[in-house]
Protein backbone atom coordinates (compact mmCIF):
# COMPACT_ATOMS: atom_id res chain seq x y z
CA UNK A 1 0.00 0.00 0.00
CA UNK A 2 1.25 3.44 -0.94
CA UNK A 3 1.98 5.89 1.81
CA UNK A 4 -0.25 8.97 1.61
CA UNK A 5 1.60 12.08 0.58
CA UNK A 6 1.19 15.12 2.77
CA UNK A 7 -0.37 18.28 1.39
CA UNK A 8 2.02 20.30 -0.73
CA UNK A 9 1.43 23.78 -2.11
CA UNK A 10 3.99 23.03 -4.83
CA UNK A 11 2.12 19.88 -5.92
CA UNK A 12 -1.21 21.75 -5.94
CA UNK A 13 0.35 24.56 -7.99
CA UNK A 14 1.70 22.00 -10.46
CA UNK A 15 -1.78 20.46 -10.74
CA UNK A 16 -3.25 23.83 -11.70
CA UNK A 17 -0.42 24.27 -14.20
CA UNK A 18 -1.25 20.92 -15.84
CA UNK A 19 -4.92 21.88 -16.04
CA UNK A 20 -4.12 25.25 -17.60
CA UNK A 21 -1.79 23.55 -20.09
CA UNK A 22 -4.65 21.24 -21.04
CA UNK A 23 -7.01 24.14 -21.62
CA UNK A 24 -4.41 25.99 -23.71
CA UNK A 25 -3.79 22.85 -25.80
CA UNK A 26 -7.54 22.41 -26.22
CA UNK A 27 -7.86 25.93 -27.67
CA UNK A 28 -4.83 25.52 -29.91
CA UNK A 29 -5.80 22.12 -31.33
CA UNK A 30 -9.58 21.86 -31.36
CA UNK A 31 -11.77 23.83 -33.76
CA UNK A 32 -14.85 23.19 -31.63
CA UNK A 33 -13.22 25.18 -28.84
CA UNK A 34 -13.46 28.26 -31.05
CA UNK A 35 -17.13 27.60 -31.79
CA UNK A 36 -17.90 27.20 -28.11
CA UNK A 37 -15.81 30.28 -27.39
CA UNK A 38 -17.85 32.34 -29.86
CA UNK A 39 -21.10 31.06 -28.34
CA UNK A 40 -19.82 31.88 -24.84
CA UNK A 41 -18.91 35.42 -25.89
CA UNK A 42 -22.35 35.82 -27.46
CA UNK A 43 -24.02 34.76 -24.20
CA UNK A 44 -21.88 37.20 -22.21
CA UNK A 45 -22.69 40.05 -24.60
CA UNK A 46 -26.41 39.24 -24.48
CA UNK A 47 -26.27 39.15 -20.68
CA UNK A 48 -24.91 42.71 -20.68
CA UNK A 49 -27.25 44.01 -23.40
CA UNK A 50 -30.29 42.42 -21.76
CA UNK A 51 -29.40 42.50 -18.06
CA UNK A 52 -30.00 39.21 -16.29
CA UNK A 53 -30.84 38.47 -12.67
CA UNK A 54 -28.38 36.68 -10.41
CA UNK A 55 -30.29 33.42 -10.81
CA UNK A 56 -30.35 33.80 -14.60
CA UNK A 57 -26.59 34.47 -14.55
CA UNK A 58 -26.08 31.31 -12.50
CA UNK A 59 -28.21 29.30 -14.96
CA UNK A 60 -26.24 30.69 -17.90
CA UNK A 61 -22.88 30.05 -16.21
CA UNK A 62 -23.85 26.47 -15.39
CA UNK A 63 -25.16 25.85 -18.91
CA UNK A 64 -22.01 27.26 -20.53
CA UNK A 65 -19.78 25.38 -18.09
CA UNK A 66 -21.68 22.15 -18.78
CA UNK A 67 -21.05 22.51 -22.53
CA UNK A 68 -17.35 23.28 -22.05
CA UNK A 69 -16.93 20.33 -19.70
CA UNK A 70 -18.73 17.98 -22.08
CA UNK A 71 -16.61 19.16 -25.02
CA UNK A 72 -13.34 18.74 -23.14
CA UNK A 73 -14.33 15.25 -21.99
CA UNK A 74 -15.44 14.42 -25.54
CA UNK A 75 -12.08 15.53 -26.89
CA UNK A 76 -10.22 13.50 -24.27
CA UNK A 77 -12.29 10.40 -25.07
CA UNK A 78 -11.70 10.85 -28.81
CA UNK A 79 -7.95 11.22 -28.28
CA UNK A 80 -7.85 8.11 -26.08
CA UNK A 81 -9.78 6.11 -28.67
CA UNK A 82 -7.46 7.32 -31.47
CA UNK A 83 -4.48 6.35 -29.32
CA UNK A 84 -5.92 2.87 -28.86
CA UNK A 85 -6.55 2.37 -32.58
CA UNK A 86 -6.82 4.46 -35.73
CA UNK A 87 -8.40 1.54 -37.56
CA UNK A 88 -12.17 1.48 -38.04
CA UNK A 89 -13.67 -0.35 -35.12
CA UNK A 90 -17.42 -0.42 -34.38
CA UNK A 91 -16.83 -0.39 -30.62
CA UNK A 92 -14.59 2.69 -30.82
CA UNK A 93 -17.07 4.43 -33.15
CA UNK A 94 -19.83 3.74 -30.62
CA UNK A 95 -17.76 5.21 -27.78
CA UNK A 96 -16.91 8.31 -29.82
CA UNK A 97 -20.53 8.73 -30.90
CA UNK A 98 -21.68 8.54 -27.27
CA UNK A 99 -19.18 11.21 -26.23
CA UNK A 100 -20.23 13.45 -29.14
CA UNK A 101 -23.86 12.86 -28.22
CA UNK A 102 -23.14 14.08 -24.69
CA UNK A 103 -21.85 17.36 -26.12
CA UNK A 104 -24.97 17.69 -28.25
CA UNK A 105 -27.21 17.12 -25.22
CA UNK A 106 -25.26 19.71 -23.22
CA UNK A 107 -25.40 22.22 -26.08
CA UNK A 108 -29.14 21.73 -26.56
CA UNK A 109 -29.75 22.17 -22.83
CA UNK A 110 -27.66 25.37 -22.91
CA UNK A 111 -29.57 26.61 -25.95
CA UNK A 112 -32.92 26.01 -24.25
CA UNK A 113 -31.64 27.78 -21.12
CA UNK A 114 -30.55 30.75 -23.21
CA UNK A 115 -33.84 30.88 -25.10
CA UNK A 116 -35.88 30.74 -21.88
CA UNK A 117 -33.86 33.63 -20.46
CA UNK A 118 -33.39 35.85 -23.51
CA UNK A 119 -36.57 35.48 -25.61
CA UNK A 120 -38.78 37.39 -23.11
CA UNK A 121 -36.13 40.11 -22.80
CA UNK A 122 -35.82 40.43 -26.59
CA UNK A 123 -39.64 40.53 -26.95
CA UNK A 124 -39.84 43.41 -24.46
CA UNK A 125 -37.04 45.23 -26.28
CA UNK A 126 -38.80 44.83 -29.64
CA UNK A 127 -42.02 46.45 -28.37
Amino acid sequence: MKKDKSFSITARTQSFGYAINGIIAFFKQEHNAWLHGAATIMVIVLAFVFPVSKMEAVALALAVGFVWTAEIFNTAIEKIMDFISLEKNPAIKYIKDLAAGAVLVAAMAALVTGLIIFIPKIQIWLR
Side-chain angles (χ1 to χ4, degrees), residues 51-97:
V52 296
S53 70
K54 287 181 184 178
M55 290 308 295
E56 290 169 331
V58 168
L60 292 169
L62 289 173
V64 167
F66 185 42
V67 173
W68 280 104
T69 301
E71 186 61 54
I72 291 170
F73 274 125
N74 176 52
T75 300
I77 290 166
E78 286 183 355
K79 299 297 180 193
I80 291 166
M81 294 297 101
D82 289 345
F83 182 77
I84 290 170
S85 174
L86 289 174
E87 295 177 18
K88 294 210 180 230
N89 179 318
I92 288 177
K93 180 187 181 316
Y94 177 67
I95 291 165
K96 287 178 152 187
D97 288 351

Side-chain angles (χ1 to χ4, degrees), residues 107-118:
M108 296 310 295
L111 177 63
V112 168
T113 301
L115 292 174
I116 289 169
I117 291 170
F118 290 118

Side-chain angles (χ1 to χ4, degrees), residues 7 13 17 21-22 26 33-34 36 42 44 50 53-54 59 66 70 87-89 96 99 111 125-126:
F7 179 81
T13 303
N21 288 341
F26 177 68
W34 293 97
H36 293 302
M42 188 173 77
I44 292 167
F50 302 103
S53 70
K54 287 181 184 178
F66 185 42
E87 295 177 18
K88 294 210 180 230
N89 179 318
K96 287 178 152 187
L111 177 63
W125 178 73
L126 290 174

